[in-house]
Amino acid sequence: MAQQPWASAGQPSSPGPPMPSVAGVRHRFVDLPALRVHVAEAGLDRADRSRPPVVLLHGVPQHWWEWRGVIPELATSHHVICPDLRGAGWTDAPPSGYRRPVLMSDVWDLLDALGQDRVHLVAHDWGALLAFELALARPDRVASLVSISVPHPWQRLTPRMLPLLLRAGYQLPMVTPWLGPRLLSRGEQRLPRRLLTATSTRPEIWTPEVVAAFVDVLRDPARARAVTALYRHFIQPEAARFLGGAHRDARLEQPVRVLVGAQDPLVRPADLDRQVSNAPRLRVVAVEGASHWVVDERPDAVVAVVRETVAAAELR
């Protein structure tokens, strides 16, 4: 599987808007069997291969740069790997492949191409849904898991959660094939801008430049269509599977941390089951001063929990 040589930080050769940069990050493209994936990496000292590899999986409507506040600090002690997932950022956006088996294969193929047999997963939003599937399917390859802003797969659907589901009505236009891509890519792009800013506890961090770094990529019709396909074929079905108990009998023995913003309007820490017999090392962590966008609003909390979780796995 061919890999492009390292490009200078923030300047890889790729179509679309200019890529935002993070100090110390290097970029490359990895050619998988059916997908060209952009990968941002940091903390890779070629003289020290002992650094634990940590893979960061982004959510919607973001890409690798979601982790800009996490990467520099985490890279001082870990090998940090941030791929753009299928259809996002600077990775290919084919018209199909947005169902669970293909999305999982994308990650396994990428890790194989990078020579990573066992990694620590950190994931936000739909990336966390995918991360749980990866950990449950191949616990031998996932040393630990930090999930951010989604319920864990053993969560029971309770009556007090039903009103919160009504707030997810914003997803309706997202899943509409013609309407969703237009709202995401055309005009003032009010839908993706509102997704990022409407519920944030720190509106000051969403400067025009930061918002543009995420929504400008969606000007590409193929990437806008990818978001719609992702919601239709993975996000909504997967959330239903989780809450419907598809994984109720599955087990995870490795450390699992479920981070939830204390001010998250959709996933409230108080509603999550904190004792899970099938995941004895699972712990729910409420992050004060954060909504759904925990990674952007409290990167310090994310780094602290990742380090603690990796340490717990390494001591086992």
Side-chain angles (χ1 to χ4, degrees):
M1 297 179 184
Q3 298 181 15
Q4 191 182 69
W6 288 111
S8 59
Q11 300 297 326
S13 57
S14 175
M19 185 182 295
S21 64
V22 174
V25 169
R26 296 184 290 186
H27 301 266
R28 59 172 150 172
F29 290 86
V30 181
D31 292 320
L32 304 183
L35 191 72
R36 189 170 190 251
V37 178
H38 164 250
V39 183
E41 291 185 83
L44 177 57
D45 183 348
R46 297 182 184 277
D48 180 8
R49 296 289 180 176
S50 65
R51 290 187 171 193
V54 179
V55 177
L56 311 180
L57 304 180
H58 61 80
V60 169
Q62 297 182 292
H63 44 66
W64 76 272
W65 202 63
E66 170 182 352
W67 305 98
R68 64 198 178 280
V70 172
I71 294 172
E73 184 64 25
L74 200 58
T76 62
S77 52
H78 299 77
H79 173 195
V80 182
I81 303 168
C82 302
D84 282 334
L85 297 170
R86 176 178 292 251
W90 286 263
T91 287
D92 284 352
S96 62
Y98 300 93
R99 299 178 186 273
R100 180 178 1 107
V102 178
L103 295 169
M104 292 176 66
S105 292
D106 287 346
V107 177
W108 296 135
D109 289 346
L110 176 63
L111 294 182
D112 288 344
L114 297 178
Q116 298 294 340
D117 295 327
R118 186 168 170 83
V119 300
H120 302 272
L121 283 182
V122 183
H124 174 240
D125 189 73
W126 81 268
L129 297 175
L130 181 60
F132 269 117
E133 291 288 1
L134 294 167
L136 290 166
R138 293 293 306 273
D140 58 309
R141 299 198 67 174
V142 179
S144 70
L145 170 59
V146 175
S147 162
I148 306 172
S149 301
V150 301
H152 56 72
W154 301 277
Q155 179 60 45
R156 297 166 296 174
L157 183 61
T158 62
R160 68 176 183 267
M161 296 173 66
L162 294 178
L164 300 179
L165 298 181
L166 298 177
R167 296 186 181 181
Y170 70 89
Q171 295 184 9
L172 182 59
M174 301 277 277
V175 300
T176 306
W178 177 83
L179 180 61
R182 287 184 66 89
L183 293 174
L184 290 164
S185 64
R186 303 286 188 88
E188 297 180 2
Q189 296 179 286
R190 291 180 180 177
L191 178 57
R193 291 175 185 275
R194 183 168 177 78
L195 285 176
L196 292 168
T197 61
T199 63
S200 179
T201 59
R202 297 186 58 197
E204 74 278 2
I205 70 174
W206 300 105
T207 65
E209 293 77 17
V210 169
V211 173
F214 297 115
V215 304
D216 282 358
V217 180
L218 297 176
R219 292 285 186 189
D220 176 1
R223 299 184 188 285
R225 288 192 294 268
V227 173
T228 293
L230 187 65
Y231 268 93
R232 285 170 60 86
H233 300 307
F234 180 78
I235 295 175
Q236 289 191 336
E238 197 68 8
R241 289 180 73 247
F242 271 40
L243 293 177
H247 296 300
R248 198 61 47 85
D249 296 327
R251 290 189 64 85
L252 278 183
E253 301 292 344
Q254 58 265 60
V256 178
R257 302 293 181 262
V258 179
L259 273 65
V260 182
Q263 287 75 43
D264 192 319
L266 292 177
V267 184
R268 300 185 302 198
D271 292 338
L272 297 184
D273 294 334
R274 300 184 178 225
Q275 298 294 322
V276 179
S277 60
N278 283 13
R281 303 177 74 188
L282 181 148
R283 183 161 60 87
V284 176
V285 180
V287 182
E288 292 296 334
S291 65
H292 176 78
W293 309 104
V294 179
V295 179
D296 303 270
E297 296 161 338
R298 289 293 312 277
D300 59 316
V302 174
V303 170
V305 171
V306 170
R307 282 185 165 155
E308 179 271 324
T309 309
V310 171
E314 297 291 321
L315 288 174
R316 188 75 172 185

